[in-house]
Amino acid sequence: MKNIIVILGPTGVGKTKMSVELAKKINAEVINADSVQVYKKLNIGSGKVTKDEMEGVTHHLFDIVDAESYYSVYDYQKNARRKIDEILKKGKRVILVGGTGLYIKAALYDYKFSKEDKHVNMDNYSNDEIYEMIKNIDKDINIDKNNRQRLERYYNRLINNDVKSNGKDKCLYDIDLIGLTTERNNLYNIIDKRVDSMFQNGLVDEINSLKEDYKTSRVLNTAIGYKEFKDYFDGKSLEYVKDEIKKNSRHYAKRQYTFFNNQFDNIKWFDVNYKNFDKTANDVYNYIRRVKDE
């Protein structure tokens, strides 16, 4: 059976590089599972794979939505499943790669969404106000009040009578879950250096080219690497913005680990060897081969 390979892990750990190395070994095509990388023009701040980094491997669901558009998990679920079917029909393997756990779950598991016909603009509400609005509908809410993006997303699901399964849902495909990880302090150092590199590689120019879009774009106002620049437009220094991106990225990495460990069974975790990445890629490849031979 042509199983689907899922490569997940925290931000900055090396998922993109692993997906390309593995795709070349198993004749696979890559499907994006990052909620920011679906957007056009959001390249540097999202860490989006470049043409050179693709190394000739076909990639899907990158650059498919304008920054001003609203793209829901429901939309992603439809698009991802369509791409999975198309790739499998060609006789090729599928690698789903990204750090957005909800995207992975929506694509591969019995995770049901109603079509989101309503979308409430919540720019004029505080986090506390949104939290109380949710409590009026779901008194058992268990969301961090500081997680603005999750609060908005959950409220919009509730008003659309969104229905989803609970817990570790039934998987609809034959999959291997590959998790990439590294020691926590090392990951934080990688994240900090990654953010520094983004600034060196033109992130500020990218942001300035998107300045007008901030007036209407939901993703620019909520995504890490972009939302922090609202302070820059209000007069804060670039160093302040850079430190905020680093801090928020580290916090996001913690939340990613929590989601992966709570929502997915049977993740095979690999400590990434950054001095010899090929060794880690070979270890993953050999594990996949061994699992299928058992």
Side-chain angles (χ1 to χ4, degrees), residues 3-20:
N3 60 308
I4 295 169
I5 310 300
V6 181
I7 300 176
L8 52 78
T11 184
V13 77
K15 300 183 295 294
T16 296
K17 187 174 182 179
M18 178 61 71
S19 66
V20 171

Side-chain angles (χ1 to χ4, degrees), residues 105-134:
K105 200 154 193 188
L108 303 178
Y109 290 74
D110 186 17
Y111 210 64
K112 297 179 176 65
F113 296 91
S114 60
K115 188 177 187 309
E116 297 185 11
D117 294 312
K118 306 174 192 172
H119 177 65
V120 177
N121 186 315
M122 314 201 81
D123 292 348
N124 295 325
Y125 294 95
S126 69
N127 286 23
D128 285 334
E129 288 172 330
I130 300 172
Y131 189 87
E132 290 303 316
M133 290 159 65
I134 293 173

